[in-house]
Structure formats: structure tokens, C-alpha cells
Amino acid sequence: MTLAEQRDLLRDCLRLWGIDGQVEVGDDGVSISTGNGVYTLTPGDRAVRWFLKTPDRPTLRAVPSIVAALSRLRNALGAEGGAMPRIT
């Protein structure tokens, strides 16, 4: 996933989660600026590892996948999770 694709994905996620913010590509990865601070998502050395930095936790936290990174980011932003789909 390129940095431009990450930027677009995160912009879509912010819209979906109802969070006002700016998403920008930088040297370290993709930064998400909101009223609560700056969050940074950085690709790791391996394709399946990511690092997330949040205002309340300024050190990089390893995340095993992009899905886990988005989940942690959503939780850190305080966004509501969607209803769980039920298969009957």
C-alpha cells in the first residue's frame, strides 16, 4: 500500500467515523490531525507491520495489520464502532 493509498483510506475512514480532521503524507508516514492532536500511521519494515503514534501515547506502538491499525486509530479517536453484522 502506497502512502497516497493510505492517505485516501484514512480520509474515507474519518468521513465514515464522523471525525473532522486533516490527513497528510509526510516523511514518517501518514499524519491525521484532529482537534485532539496528531496521530501518525507509519509502515514498518515488513509489509504486515504498522506503527501508530497517538497524542496520549507518543511512542510508536507496533500493530500487526492495517485492520488492527484502523481499529486502534478509531478507538483512539473516540469514534463509534458500527453495529456488528448478524448472519441468521
Side-chain angles (χ1 to χ4, degrees):
M1 178 179 283
T2 67
L3 290 176
E5 291 170 332
Q6 288 176 39
R7 179 196 62 219
D8 294 341
L9 174 64
L10 291 168
R11 282 182 181 162
D12 290 343
C13 287
L14 289 181
R15 241 180 266 128
L16 179 67
W17 298 334
I19 302 288
D20 290 327
Q22 298 289 340
V23 181
E24 297 180 11
V25 174
D27 293 336
D28 295 344
V30 180
S31 296
I32 303 99
S33 301
T34 69
N36 295 332
V38 178
Y39 303 78
T40 305
L41 184 62
T42 306
D45 295 337
R46 297 182 300 180
V48 295
R49 183 161 272 231
W50 299 85
F51 294 96
L52 180 63
K53 187 189 308 186
T54 60
D56 63 333
R57 197 156 187 184
T59 58
L60 292 175
R61 291 175 53 185
V63 186
S65 69
I66 190 66
V67 174
L70 292 175
S71 180
R72 284 195 185 167
L73 178 61
R74 184 189 73 219
N75 291 336
L77 289 168
E80 292 288 324
M84 294 295 291
R86 296 182 77 174
I87 300 172
T88 56

